[in-house]
């Protein structure tokens, strides 16, 4: 017969054991019988165990001083119980206060890391909190003292260590930022298990034929999908030339003239705008790196056209008069207004392409919507520019043979795709190991499912493929969808991560090691805003390493 396990015998503590053996059962989870005399515990709640301990350790002396059934014995046991409960209550309060102080310290450190601020600022936050409490509760000295004492217990170390771990339940990971958990699609800073696609900005070191990163990765994974960042493509398509470039250069020189000719001139211009209660208080400088400023610069010049012309008329220099003639020339300003409109549309497109949680289908749809609007322009020069812009977008954003328009349509409208050999052949180019015959059968079965069609109408794309499409029945179709959903369409998150790293690792934080930088960057890039949403509750924390 197998040996019995004491944990499964469900022994119950009996109240008469307290009088007989001076044992008590503490009031907390997984408590063990505790001796009131020596505070030792026994592993199993059984009469023999408690009796053995009492007879061996305390029976002779305790029974001699406090005979059984005597009033002195009952009073002594009652006093020991009161003392035990008081000590437990004191320890519990102390432990609770320490846990709260630890949780507060970690919460502040988490918020500092999210804001990319040094952990040394925690002491400043603590002093500010104490000052605020002292001021707000100055009429209630008792409550103020209690709160200030609690705040003083919050302790900060030089560095806070966080281990934020996440997991993925499929093989197609979106670079190092995407994972699937709790039935949602998330973009986080994670390690990479298997690379199925790569998006680059077109730099030679990345796309070089023999030594570039793409070629080296393709040697390891021949099925690797390589794309040019959609945002970079849109910027390249919007390059100016001819009359439009000449107009942009003139506007840039005008802004630089007002800003940089002399500090006095710039101050006078701002003073005039303030006196006239103009819509804006200054002009914006143009920077080729931050190309979005092109559209903003043109908008600001158009809005302040009259004020600029009035200010330039007060200056005596030849350049000022040339810029004034440019502003009052309706033909020249027509190009400026046209270019301003074009750049505003490009800015809107660029902002649509930026941000997290964008799938490749979402971004290609935004580009297609912009391409459909490229039928504007009145005179010949402007029509030529729009035609050139439309041609550039058409050539750059034509789907590659590995990612055809039918594949992209399948993610949004899976029931409109025909299960013919041509479509499955396109799918096999994206996923070479897929079973074409099984894929055709799954597409046909999905097309006849009224339940899936109704769910597709009621939920979003991500929710539909992750939660509504059964993995067992539609393994291949779901695999294609997961591949597309986890594919990076741009380098936005990578570039924003570099910006976050530059903010975290500044010249003042020269003691920040690479390991600490990685931990701070992980927290800064977390999508959850509060530590309570990403980490265990304070009650589950036993040490700093648990966080």
């Amino acid at each position: 017969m197998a040996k019995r396990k004491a944990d499964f015998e469900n022994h119950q503590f009996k109240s008469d054991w307290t009088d007989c053996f001076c044992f008590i059962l503490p009031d907390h989870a997984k408590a063990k019988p505790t001796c009131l005399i020596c505070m030792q515990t026994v592993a199993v709640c059984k009469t023999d165990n408690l009796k053995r301990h009492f007879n061996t350790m305390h029976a002779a002396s305790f029974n001699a001083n406090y005979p059984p059934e005597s009033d002195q014995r009952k009073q002594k046991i009652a006093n020991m119980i009161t003392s035990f409960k008081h000590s437990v209550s004191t320890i519990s309060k102390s432990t609770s206060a320490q846990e709260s102080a630890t949780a507060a310290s970690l919460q502040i450190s988490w918020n500092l890391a999210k804001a990319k601020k040094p952990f040394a600022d925690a002491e400043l936050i603590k002093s500010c909190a104490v000052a605020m409490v002292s001021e707000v509760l100055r009429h209630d000295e008792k409550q103020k003292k209690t709160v200030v004492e609690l705040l003083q217990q919050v302790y900060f170390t030089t560095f806070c260590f966080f281990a934020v771990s996440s997991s993925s339940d499929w093989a197609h990971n979106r670079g190092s930022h995407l994972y699937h958990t709790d039935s949602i699609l998330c973009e986080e800073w994670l390690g990479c298990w298997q690379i199925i696609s790569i998006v680059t900005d077109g730099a030679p070191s990345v796309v070089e034929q023999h030594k570039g990163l793409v070629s080296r990765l393709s040697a390891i994974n021949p099925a690797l999908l390589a794309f040019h960042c959609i945002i970079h493509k849109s910027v390249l398509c919007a390059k100016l030339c001819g009359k439009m470039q000449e107009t942009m250069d003139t506007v840039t020189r005008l802004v630089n003239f007002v800003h940089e000719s002399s500090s006095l001139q710039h101050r006078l211009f701002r003073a005039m705008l303030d006196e006239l209660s103009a819509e804006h208080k200054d002009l914006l400088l143009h920077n080729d790196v931050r190309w979005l400023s092109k559209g903003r610069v043109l908008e600001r010049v158009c809005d302040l056209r009259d004020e600029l012309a009035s200010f330039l008329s007060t200056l005596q220099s030849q350049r000022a008069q040339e810029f004034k003639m440019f502003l009052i020339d309706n033909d020249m300003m027509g190009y400026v207004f046209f270019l301003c409109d074009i750049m505003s549309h490009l800015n809107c497109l660029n902002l649509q392409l930026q941000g997290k949680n964008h799938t490749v289908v979402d971004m290609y749809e935004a580009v297609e919507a912009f391409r459909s609007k490229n039928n504007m322009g009145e005179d010949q020069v402007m029509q030529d520019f729009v035609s050139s812009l439309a041609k550039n977008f058409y050539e750059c954003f034509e789907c590659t043979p590995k990612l055809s328009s039918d594949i992209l349509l399948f993610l949004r409208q899976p029931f409109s795709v025909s299960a013919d050999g041509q479509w499955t052949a396109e799918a096999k180019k994206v996923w070479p190991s897929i079973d074409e015959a099984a894929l055709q059968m799954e597409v046909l079965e999905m097309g006849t499912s009224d339940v899936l069609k109704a769910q597709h109408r009621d939920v979003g794309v991500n929710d539909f493929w992750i939660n509504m499409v059964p993995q067992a029945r539609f393994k291949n179709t779901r695999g294609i969808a997961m591949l597309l959903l986890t594919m990076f369409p741009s380098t936005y998150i990578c570039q924003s991560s570099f910006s976050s790293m530059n903010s975290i690792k500044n010249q003042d934080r020269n003691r920040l090691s690479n390991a600490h930088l990685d931990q701070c960057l992980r927290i800064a890039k977390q999508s959850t805003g509060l530590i309570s949403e990403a980490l265990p509750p304070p009650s589950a924390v036993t040490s700093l390493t648990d966080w």
Side-chain angles (χ1 to χ4, degrees):
M1 180 180 292
K3 186 178 179 180
R4 292 194 307 171
K5 299 295 184 180
D7 292 341
F8 300 108
E9 293 181 353
N10 195 24
H11 294 292
Q12 299 293 328
F13 186 85
K14 298 179 181 179
S15 59
D16 58 348
W17 290 348
T18 302
D19 296 330
C20 296
F21 311 121
C22 297
F23 268 84
I24 191 174
L25 186 67
D27 186 17
H28 61 81
K30 297 183 179 180
K32 297 179 180 179
T34 303
C35 178
L36 291 171
I37 302 174
C38 63
M39 297 301 169
Q40 292 186 12
T41 61
V42 294
V44 182
C45 193
K46 294 175 63 175
T47 305
D48 292 341
N49 291 13
L50 276 64
K51 182 178 180 180
R52 185 185 306 112
H53 173 87
F54 180 76
N55 292 337
T56 303
M57 305 293 295
H58 311 297
S61 59
F62 193 81
N63 288 335
N65 296 325
Y66 307 99
E69 305 298 333
S70 65
D71 294 337
Q72 293 87 348
R73 184 187 185 96
K74 294 180 180 179
Q75 183 62 38
K76 179 61 177 179
I77 292 176
N79 292 339
M80 288 191 298
I81 292 175
T82 303
S83 177
F84 175 80
K85 291 183 177 180
H86 177 72
S87 62
V88 170
S89 175
T90 303
I91 294 173
S92 176
K93 289 181 179 179
S94 176
T95 303
S96 178
Q98 291 175 358
E99 287 183 353
S100 299
T102 302
S105 173
L106 292 169
Q107 183 68 67
I108 293 176
S109 299
W110 174 272
N111 291 333
L112 288 172
K114 287 290 293 181
K116 310 177 187 67
K117 299 296 183 181
F119 292 121
D121 291 351
E123 289 297 338
L124 175 61
I125 295 176
K126 178 179 175 180
S127 62
C128 292
V130 171
M132 285 189 294
V133 169
S134 300
E135 189 65 28
V136 172
L137 300 178
R138 58 183 175 179
H139 300 299
D140 191 342
E141 290 295 331
K142 183 178 180 180
Q143 186 176 3
K144 181 180 75 172
K145 182 180 178 181
T146 303
V147 177
V148 169
E149 288 178 354
L150 291 174
L151 291 175
Q152 293 291 354
Q153 295 178 15
V154 179
Y155 174 73
F156 300 99
T157 56
T158 304
F159 290 103
C160 292
F161 300 89
F162 295 90
V164 181
S165 62
S166 303
S167 61
S168 171
D169 63 358
W170 65 60
H172 308 300
N173 294 288
R174 193 171 183 176
S176 59
H177 292 80
L178 186 138
Y179 69 95
H180 172 217
T181 178
D182 295 335
S183 303
I184 58 174
L185 208 62
C186 306
E187 289 180 352
E188 303 294 356
W189 185 268
L190 303 179
C192 190
W193 290 271
Q194 176 185 354
I195 301 178
I196 52 97
S197 68
I198 183 172
V199 179
T200 72
D201 58 0
S205 60
V206 178
V207 299
E208 194 174 87
Q209 184 176 0
H210 300 291
K211 297 183 179 180
L213 175 63
V214 174
S215 61
R216 294 191 177 192
L217 292 176
S218 298
I220 301 174
N221 180 14
L224 179 72
L225 302 176
F227 302 98
H228 195 164
C229 172
I230 293 180
I231 299 179
H232 281 81
K233 278 188 176 183
S234 65
V235 176
L236 294 175
C237 292
K239 291 295 183 181
L240 301 177
C241 61
K243 188 67 175 179
M244 294 301 165
Q245 183 62 52
E246 179 184 345
T247 303
M248 188 70 227
D249 292 341
T250 304
V251 173
T252 303
R253 289 195 299 270
L254 167 61
V255 174
N256 292 340
F257 172 77
V258 175
H259 267 270
E260 301 175 359
S261 292
S262 69
S263 57
L264 174 61
Q265 179 174 291
H266 188 202
R267 290 198 302 271
L268 291 174
F269 176 68
R270 288 187 297 175
M272 186 195 73
L273 294 179
D274 187 59
E275 182 181 351
L276 296 175
S277 299
E279 183 179 356
H280 306 288
K281 301 302 181 183
D282 201 358
L283 295 174
L284 296 178
L285 287 172
H286 167 59
N287 186 347
D288 280 327
V289 176
R290 299 179 181 273
W291 73 275
L292 277 175
S293 62
K294 280 184 181 179
R296 299 289 181 258
V297 168
L298 291 167
E299 289 178 5
R300 190 64 62 88
V301 170
C302 292
D303 292 340
L304 298 177
R305 177 188 180 186
D306 296 335
E307 290 82 356
L308 272 171
S310 177
F311 176 74
L312 292 173
S313 63
T314 62
L315 304 179
Q316 302 299 323
S317 65
Q318 180 65 29
R319 293 184 63 193
Q321 299 307 312
E322 292 175 358
F323 289 132
K324 174 189 173 183
M325 297 303 298
F326 173 79
L327 290 172
I328 64 177
D329 189 339
N330 291 331
D331 292 337
M332 295 301 298
M333 287 304 296
Y335 294 114
V336 176
F337 286 117
F338 173 77
L339 194 57
C340 180
D341 291 338
I342 289 292
M343 287 301 171
S344 66
H345 290 295
L346 288 170
N347 287 355
C348 292
L349 172 63
N350 188 275
L351 292 175
Q352 282 182 314
L353 300 180
Q354 295 183 34
K356 299 179 66 175
N357 300 321
H358 288 332
T359 65
V360 63
V361 179
D362 296 330
M363 300 184 76
Y364 269 107
E365 283 184 352
V367 172
E368 287 298 321
F370 179 81
R371 285 172 55 179
S372 64
K373 300 175 183 177
N374 280 342
N375 56 354
M376 59 187 70
E378 296 180 357
D379 56 49
Q380 186 62 38
V381 177
M382 294 181 181
Q383 183 63 46
D384 291 342
F385 174 76
V386 173
S387 299
S388 176
L389 182 63
K391 181 181 178 182
N392 291 340
F393 269 85
Y394 178 80
E395 293 175 352
C396 288
F397 287 97
E398 275 301 286
C399 294
T400 62
K402 291 184 178 180
L403 200 61
S404 65
S405 57
D406 290 337
I407 296 296
L408 296 177
L409 177 64
F410 167 75
L411 186 65
R412 286 295 185 95
Q413 301 294 335
F415 305 103
S416 62
V417 176
S418 60
D420 55 13
Q422 181 179 357
W423 186 85
T424 55
E426 295 291 342
K428 192 170 182 62
K429 292 179 181 178
V430 179
W431 193 352
S433 61
I434 200 171
D435 187 346
E436 288 190 62
L439 179 61
Q440 289 181 352
M441 295 297 102
E442 290 180 12
V443 172
L444 289 173
E445 183 179 357
M446 182 179 290
T448 58
S449 175
D450 294 333
V451 174
L452 287 179
K453 289 180 180 179
Q455 292 172 340
H456 183 265
R457 290 191 297 267
D458 297 337
V459 300
V461 175
N462 293 352
D463 193 18
F464 173 75
W465 286 109
I466 295 173
N467 300 319
M468 304 303 174
V469 179
Q471 171 72 23
R473 289 176 57 193
F474 303 101
K475 177 182 178 181
N476 295 283
T477 52
R478 194 172 185 271
I480 290 288
M482 291 298 101
L483 186 146
L484 294 175
L485 287 174
T486 57
M487 187 180 294
F488 270 126
S490 73
T491 59
Y492 171 81
I493 297 180
C494 181
Q495 299 291 349
S496 63
S497 299
F498 280 118
S499 299
S500 299
M501 184 185 68
N502 291 334
S503 300
I504 294 171
K505 193 172 183 179
N506 53 47
Q507 60 182 2
D508 297 327
R509 303 182 72 178
N510 51 13
R511 295 174 58 191
L512 191 64
S513 66
N514 289 335
H516 296 154
L517 173 63
D518 179 67
Q519 294 161 359
C520 293
L521 191 58
R522 285 171 181 263
I523 298 173
K525 299 306 296 181
Q526 285 287 329
S527 59
T528 51
L530 297 176
I531 192 172
S532 58
E533 298 175 11
L535 299 178
S539 59
V541 178
T542 58
S543 64
L544 281 175
T545 55
D546 291 341
W547 291 76

